[in-house]
């Protein structure tokens, strides 16, 4: 998908550039903002750029063609839901994945007073949308103080309405790469740069939709950067990195496992012994996790269901001693498994501000997924200063960097050692011993 404020689409040059970008990026759905195309000319312009594509506009709400959504029918199907002078909302079906999601494309007015109706519209829609929801476009508003450089400083009054709208709708910014600032005025030497083009998703998007990458491309013929949103094809299944889990320490065998692992005899110098013991201990802790904590979340839900059944049976026969004992056993078992599950989720989400209650389990998972998405490396600069986004190129850049760094370090150490040997040859035997004595065999190794 692509979202772009093109600043007019009536000239053949603009149409050619939009078509070329969509072809190069393999776009199946494009949101074009500020087209300035009137009703009578819209179909001709769309057919010139995208033969066979379908489209919807908000021309019924504003004469100037502020928002146009066009799509390839073999990639997407879009059902028009609602429109205003500042937005279009549609229900999109991904033909390949057979998944549905709502999309709201925004082109906000320039003044704070005019934008208030947009914030109210988004807030009213958010309560009725229970499916994945993508909100993207030109909001004509910054969100934070550092979203603009040059010009007047960002004040609280110009961002408070936008921030309250995002909080009320429970939207999260989609982590993006590429250009930091999405608009600049292109006037004179003292340019103003700001981020006013945004992409937000709701919790359901994090729960049910595939991982996506969002990149702000260079602006080209416009003063706004186009936003490309694409599925992360990944690189197949990756090995999971080892992470220490806090709940392991609560297991009765934990200290015994650590003691046995640390007491194993390993030959060679001290640092090697430490590293080797840690690797051996890692295997033992993985085994402990596999045996007792592999299904910690599932076990908590199963214990909850078992406790409910035991309590229902007890209420049917309150004086039954056997049922009372069984209910007590299930109660303590559920308390333990539930506590372990909450500790596990707290560590994964790093949301220490969420209490140990069981109210927001769904939100918990959304926070975890969103933090993972934020921590993903979606772009990296190579030694030429160019940004790469695909996984193969990112891997090559990292490998080249560390090969270069390690080879330089090796040459530096060799040069230092040769200089050390050269100094030794110019000294007599007693001076050589005095120079070498501070270095033990282990330290030299």
């Amino acid at each position: 998908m692509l979202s772009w404020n093109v600043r007019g689409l009536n000239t053949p040059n603009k149409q050619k550039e939009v078509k070329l970008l969509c072809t190069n990026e393999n776009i199946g759905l494009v949101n074009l903002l500020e087209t300035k195309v009137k009703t009578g000319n819209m179909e001709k312009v769309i057919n010139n750029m995208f033969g066979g594509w379908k489209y919807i506009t908000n021309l019924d709400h504003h004469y100037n063609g502020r928002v146009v959504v066009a799509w390839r029918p073999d990639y997407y199907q879009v059902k028009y839901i609602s429109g205003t002078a500042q937005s279009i909302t549609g229900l999109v079906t991904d033909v390949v994945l057979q998944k549905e999601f709502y999309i709201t494309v925004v082109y906000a007015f320039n003044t704070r007073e005019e934008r208030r109706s947009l914030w109210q519209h988004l807030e009213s829609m958010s309560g009725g949308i229970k499916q994945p929801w993508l909100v993207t476009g030109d909001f004509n508003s910054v969100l934070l103080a550092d979203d603009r450089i040059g010009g007047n400083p960002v004040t609280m009054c110009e961002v408070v309405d936008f921030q309250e709208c995002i909080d009320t709708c429970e939207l999260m910014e989609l982590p993006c790469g590429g250009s930091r600032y999405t608009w600049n005025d292109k006037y004179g030497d003292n340019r103003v740069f700001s981020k006013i083009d945004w992409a937000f998703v709701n919790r359901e998007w994090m729960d049910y939709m595939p991982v996506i990458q969002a990149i702000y491309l260079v602006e080209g013929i416009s003063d706004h950067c186009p936003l490309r949103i694409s599925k992360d094809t990944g690189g197949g299944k990756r090995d999971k990195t080892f992470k220490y889990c806090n709940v392991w320490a609560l297991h009765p065998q934990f200290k015994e496992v650590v003691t046995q692992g640390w007491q194993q005899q390993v030959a060679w110098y001290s640092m090697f012994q430490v590293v080797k013991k840690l690797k051996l201990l890692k295997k033992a802790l993985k085994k402990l996790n596999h045996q007792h904590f592999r299904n910690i979340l599932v076990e908590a839900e199963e214990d909850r269901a078992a406790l409910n059944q035991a309590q229902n049976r007890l209420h049917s026969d309150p004086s039954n001693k056997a049922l009372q004992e069984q209910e007590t056993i299930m109660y303590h078992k559920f308390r333990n498994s539930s506590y372990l599950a909450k500790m596990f989720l707290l560590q994964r989400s790093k949301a220490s501000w969420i209490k140990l209650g069981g109210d927001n389990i769904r939100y918990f998972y959304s926070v975890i997924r969103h933090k993972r998405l934020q921590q993903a490396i979606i772009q990296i600069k190579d030694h030429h200063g160019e940004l790469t986004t695909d996984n193969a190129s990112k891997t090559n850049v990292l490998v080249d960097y560390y090969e270069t760094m390690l080879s330089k370090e090796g040459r530096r150490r060799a040069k230092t050692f040769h200089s050390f040997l050269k100094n030794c040859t110019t000294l007599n035997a007693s001076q050589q011993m005095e120079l070498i004595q501070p270095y033990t065999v282990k330290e030299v190794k």
Side-chain angles (χ1 to χ4, degrees):
M1 294 182 286
L2 188 78
S3 182
W4 193 12
N5 184 328
V6 294
R7 293 298 301 272
L9 200 57
N10 288 293
T11 63
N13 182 45
K14 281 285 186 74
Q15 296 172 17
K16 178 183 176 181
E17 290 298 321
V18 172
K19 181 180 179 180
L20 182 62
L21 179 61
C22 290
T23 301
N24 292 339
E25 299 295 338
N26 194 29
I27 300 300
L29 186 150
V30 58
N31 313 314
L32 299 175
L33 312 175
E34 198 178 357
T35 64
K36 301 180 181 179
V37 180
K38 304 299 188 291
T39 303
N41 200 34
M42 181 62 72
E43 187 169 357
K44 178 182 176 181
V45 170
I46 296 297
N47 288 334
N48 285 342
M49 295 188 299
F50 313 116
W53 286 35
K54 297 182 179 181
Y55 71 95
I56 55 176
T57 75
N58 69 338
L59 282 168
D60 291 340
H61 302 275
H62 197 281
Y63 69 95
N64 209 23
R66 292 175 59 82
V67 181
V68 177
V69 179
W71 65 91
R72 284 182 56 172
D74 53 335
Y75 279 22
Y76 295 98
Q77 295 293 330
V78 181
K79 178 182 177 182
Y80 178 84
I81 300 298
S82 65
T84 69
Q86 301 182 78
S87 67
I88 284 181
T89 299
L91 179 61
V92 181
T93 301
D94 189 314
V95 176
V96 177
L97 297 179
Q98 285 299 298
K99 288 181 176 290
E100 286 187 343
F101 62 92
Y102 284 92
I103 184 171
T104 298
V105 183
V106 170
Y107 178 38
F109 286 131
N110 292 326
T111 66
R112 179 188 177 189
E113 290 72 21
E114 291 177 310
R115 288 194 293 267
R116 282 175 179 164
S117 61
L118 171 63
W119 310 142
Q120 294 169 359
H121 176 68
L122 293 176
E123 290 171 5
S124 65
M125 281 199 309
S126 65
I129 293 181
K130 305 302 180 183
Q131 289 180 257
W133 186 24
L134 171 66
V135 185
T136 184
D138 178 4
F139 290 77
N140 262 316
S141 177
V142 297
L143 193 60
L144 302 171
D146 60 350
D147 287 335
R148 182 166 66 219
I149 56 174
N152 297 324
V154 176
T155 61
M156 189 62 188
C157 66
E158 68 176 298
V159 301
V160 62
D161 294 338
F162 189 13
Q163 291 177 349
E164 288 179 354
C165 174
I166 298 304
D167 292 339
T168 303
C169 297
E170 297 184 351
L171 296 174
M172 297 172 282
E173 183 190 353
L174 191 65
C176 298
S179 304
R180 169 66 178 88
Y181 301 98
T182 65
W183 172 86
N184 70 87
D185 58 0
K186 294 186 179 294
Y187 293 119
D189 297 330
N190 299 319
R191 289 192 182 186
V192 178
F193 291 81
S194 63
K195 183 174 183 179
I196 57 177
D197 301 270
W198 299 88
F200 301 96
V201 292
N202 63 350
R203 294 183 305 190
E204 285 75 13
W205 184 284
M206 306 302 300
D207 291 337
Y208 303 116
M209 295 300 289
V211 177
I212 57 177
Q213 293 181 336
I215 301 291
Y216 287 104
L217 309 174
V218 292
E219 60 267 37
I221 58 172
S222 178
D223 54 2
H224 285 260
C225 296
L227 173 62
R228 184 194 69 201
I229 300 175
S230 58
K231 303 182 189 76
D232 183 9
T233 56
K237 187 176 180 181
R238 302 172 185 173
D239 293 335
K240 293 182 179 180
T241 57
F242 176 80
K243 295 179 181 178
Y244 174 79
C245 191
N246 293 335
V247 295
W248 294 344
L250 301 178
H251 194 273
Q253 298 178 5
F254 174 76
K255 289 186 178 180
E256 181 182 351
V257 170
V258 174
T259 302
Q260 290 178 354
W262 207 250
Q263 288 180 347
Q264 296 188 63
Q265 297 299 318
V266 178
W268 217 6
Y269 59 95
S270 301
M271 197 63 230
F272 176 82
Q273 294 179 24
V274 172
V275 174
K276 184 65 176 178
K277 287 182 178 181
L278 286 175
K279 287 185 177 181
L280 295 173
L281 184 57
K282 180 171 69 173
K283 294 180 180 180
L285 291 176
K286 282 185 175 181
K287 184 178 179 180
L288 180 71
N289 180 72
H290 182 78
Q291 291 176 343
H292 302 286
F293 299 97
R294 181 179 55 173
N295 299 317
I296 186 171
L297 302 179
V298 176
E299 289 177 2
E301 291 302 317
E302 291 176 349
D303 290 344
R304 183 195 299 273
L307 176 61
N308 290 339
Q309 293 176 2
Q311 290 175 340
N312 286 330
R313 289 194 296 267
L314 181 60
H315 282 288
S316 300
D317 187 6
S319 60
N320 190 317
K321 298 295 183 182
L323 292 180
Q324 292 177 9
E325 293 179 2
Q326 186 180 12
E327 191 272 344
T328 302
I329 293 173
M330 295 309 304
Y331 171 74
H332 289 293
K333 189 170 186 286
F334 170 67
R335 282 196 61 180
N336 180 62
S337 61
S338 176
Y339 177 70
L340 293 178
K342 298 306 180 293
M343 283 193 62
F344 177 70
L345 288 174
L346 277 171
Q347 184 179 0
R348 285 182 60 185
S349 67
K350 297 183 180 178
S352 58
W353 39 267
I354 296 181
K355 297 180 181 179
L356 290 176
D359 296 339
N360 296 319
I361 295 301
R362 187 179 177 192
Y363 178 67
F364 234 143
Y365 281 106
S366 299
V367 172
I368 293 170
R369 292 187 178 92
H370 189 243
K371 284 186 177 292
R372 284 180 177 174
L373 193 59
Q374 287 181 314
Q375 293 167 357
I377 299 175
I378 61 175
Q379 62 177 354
I380 193 169
K381 275 187 179 180
D382 60 17
H383 62 283
H384 298 297
E386 297 179 357
L387 289 173
T388 58
T389 57
D390 61 284
N391 290 327
S393 299
K394 288 187 289 186
T395 301
N396 292 335
V397 171
L398 289 172
V399 171
D400 292 342
Y401 171 78
Y402 282 106
E403 282 183 346
T404 303
M405 182 186 70
L406 293 175
S407 62
K408 288 181 178 178
E409 180 67 16
R411 290 194 296 268
R412 186 187 68 81
R413 290 180 177 178
K415 184 177 180 180
T416 302
F417 187 65
H418 286 309
S419 176
F420 173 78
L421 292 179
K422 183 178 180 181
N423 290 335
C424 286
T425 57
T426 61
L427 304 175
N428 57 40
S430 61
Q431 290 174 326
Q432 291 179 11
M433 290 302 298
E434 184 179 353
L435 182 63
I436 295 175
Q437 191 168 1
Y439 299 92
T440 65
V441 174
K442 292 182 179 179
E443 287 173 333
V444 171
K445 285 183 180 180

